[in-house]
Amino acid sequence: MRVSIPAGVAIGLAALFSVYHLFLAATTLPHALEVGPVVTCMVLYAAATGLALFVPGRTLPLWATCFSLATAVVMPIIAAPAVELRSGPGYNTWWIAAVGTLMVVLVVRGRAPFAWVGVGFLAVHTVAWAGLGALGSLGVLGSVAWVVIGTGFTAAMNRATRVTRDFVRAEQETADWQAAQDAHVFERQFRLSQTTRMALPMLQRIVDTDGDLDAAERAECLHLEQAIRDEIRGRSLLSDDVRAEVMRLRRRGATVQLHDDGGLDDLDIDDLRRVHARIAEALHQAREADNVIVRTVPEGSESAVTVVGLRLDTAASESAALGAGLDDEDGDEDDSVVVWLEIPRHEHA
């Protein structure tokens, strides 16, 4: 974000002043000692001003800056000999104000050092040509003053731009922080409500029986504890259908592992629903599996989720029922694959 007046207004005002100087120069032609140098200065000034005003970009290119500075140096040198100094100031020294206007344009276009060189040369040349008193009578001090004002105004605008940019950045960071906090609160409330919905009936049963649960109820507590872990470790893999199928497999005695590594974060809602439906279908088909693993695939792969269902040998099945080897995904050589499914990230036509 940049603090500034409209570019069209600024360019229009500068162009109006420049045309006014050229008009004054045209009125002095009948009284000039030599017309050629004055016309040459008019052409150079028109070209330099046009470049300084209309070359695109916030900062004037170096080549255009050098041309403007060269014009500011050349104009006093070739125009002064063609001017007959009178007792008072006149329009025949139009080029002094014109150089000041051109240097102000350089200041606004981000080339203040060049502008100061230009008005400095103008002042030195005027003193050498017409004496020290000519600085005030011919308007050199006015040109210097306009450059000073332009430099201060530009510095103030640049500072205001930086401050405004800092405020905008701080506002954006605050909005991002607030959005992140809102997301955390929503996620926490959603997880708490989900956990409460699953565990509240069993917690009420524990209270009613004073903790005296039978074997089936204790097993159900373990299943609920695993379901709560699923909400943390496999959150993007879960839907109501997937939760129901996972609980059905666990109640049958199978071991189910859900691992969400963030591979579904970039999916839109339609693809995510399709993936959930395929996961639920694969879990339903894994009725004979003793160990089922559902894992997301990192981004960049064609597949989004891999579902593997294994039927273990007798010894391994007993170990799995006792909770041993839950994180062992390699399996034994005697394990047989019941389900192997790779769910694509996007549905192919």
Side-chain angles (χ1 to χ4, degrees):
M1 183 175 181
R2 183 179 301 126
V3 179
S4 64
I5 62 175
V9 175
I11 293 175
L13 289 175
L16 183 63
F17 274 105
S18 301
V19 170
Y20 176 69
H21 293 315
L22 292 175
F23 172 75
L24 293 180
T27 61
T28 63
L29 289 177
H31 310 289
L33 299 178
E34 297 182 43
V35 176
V38 178
V39 173
T40 301
C41 289
M42 293 173 63
V43 173
L44 286 175
Y45 179 69
T49 303
L51 289 175
L53 290 177
F54 299 108
V55 170
R58 183 173 182 272
T59 302
L60 190 65
L62 184 60
W63 63 269
T65 304
C66 292
F67 180 76
S68 298
L69 179 59
T71 299
V73 172
V74 169
M75 284 176 62
I77 294 176
I78 65 176
V83 173
E84 181 181 357
L85 289 178
R86 301 175 182 177
S87 58
Y91 294 148
N92 54 347
T93 56
W94 62 273
W95 40 271
I96 294 178
V99 168
T101 301
L102 182 58
M103 295 301 99
V104 171
V105 174
L106 290 188
V107 170
V108 176
R109 294 299 302 272
R111 297 297 186 179
F114 292 87
W116 280 105
V117 172
V119 294
F121 178 83
L122 176 65
V124 172
H125 179 273
T126 302
V127 170
W129 171 55
L132 187 62
L135 291 177
S137 62
L138 297 183
V140 177
L141 294 180
S143 297
V144 174
W146 276 112
V147 173
V148 171
I149 294 172
T151 302
F153 178 77
T154 302
M157 292 296 292
N158 290 337
R159 183 178 182 278
T161 299
R162 290 193 298 270
V163 172
T164 303
R165 188 183 299 115
D166 292 340
F167 276 124
V168 170
R169 185 183 300 111
E171 181 182 9
Q172 183 62 46
E173 291 176 353
T174 302
D176 293 342
W177 179 85
Q178 185 63 48
Q181 294 302 311
D182 292 342
H184 289 320
V185 172
F186 174 79
E187 182 71 11
R188 182 168 58 251
Q189 291 176 342
F190 176 78
R191 296 301 171 191
L192 287 174
S193 63
Q194 190 76 13
T195 302
T196 301
R197 184 175 64 85
M198 291 187 300
L200 186 58
M202 181 57 67
L203 293 175
Q204 187 62 48
R205 175 61 179 165
I206 294 173
V207 172
D208 294 340
T209 61
D210 197 19
D212 187 14
L213 304 178
D214 56 27
E217 290 172 335
R218 292 180 183 276
E220 185 66 15
C221 286
L222 293 176
H223 298 330
L224 289 175
E225 188 269 342
Q226 292 173 344
I228 293 173
R229 290 182 182 272
D230 290 341
E231 298 295 332
I232 300 174
R233 295 187 302 184
R235 55 189 180 277
S236 68
L237 293 168
L238 294 173
S239 66
D240 290 340
D241 293 338
V242 173
R243 291 185 182 95
E245 293 296 333
V246 169
M247 186 60 72
R248 182 186 61 81
L249 287 172
R250 283 175 175 157
R251 286 169 179 165
R252 187 182 57 79
T255 300
V256 182
Q257 303 176 54
L258 302 179
H259 299 282
D260 175 18
D261 298 324
L264 305 183
D265 295 340
D266 64 332
L267 295 184
D268 56 35
I269 187 64
D270 293 332
D271 284 331
L272 190 59
R273 288 173 178 171
R274 174 184 54 82
V275 170
H276 286 161
R278 295 292 302 278
I279 294 174
E281 180 183 354
L283 293 175
H284 183 73
Q285 294 173 355
R287 290 185 295 272
E288 300 179 359
D290 299 309
N291 191 358
V292 180
I293 303 170
V294 182
R295 183 184 292 275
T296 59
V297 180
E299 296 181 13
S301 173
E302 292 292 330
S303 300
V305 176
T306 300
V307 182
V308 179
L310 302 176
R311 183 171 60 241
L312 310 180
D313 59 12
T314 303
S317 297
E318 293 177 353
S319 298
L322 295 175
L326 293 181
D327 295 327
D328 184 7
E329 301 174 16
D330 296 333
D332 299 331
E333 295 181 358
D334 296 333
D335 298 346
S336 59
V337 177
V338 177
V339 175
W340 176 278
L341 177 63
E342 291 184 350
I343 303 175
R345 190 171 297 277
H346 302 287
E347 188 173 14
H348 299 290

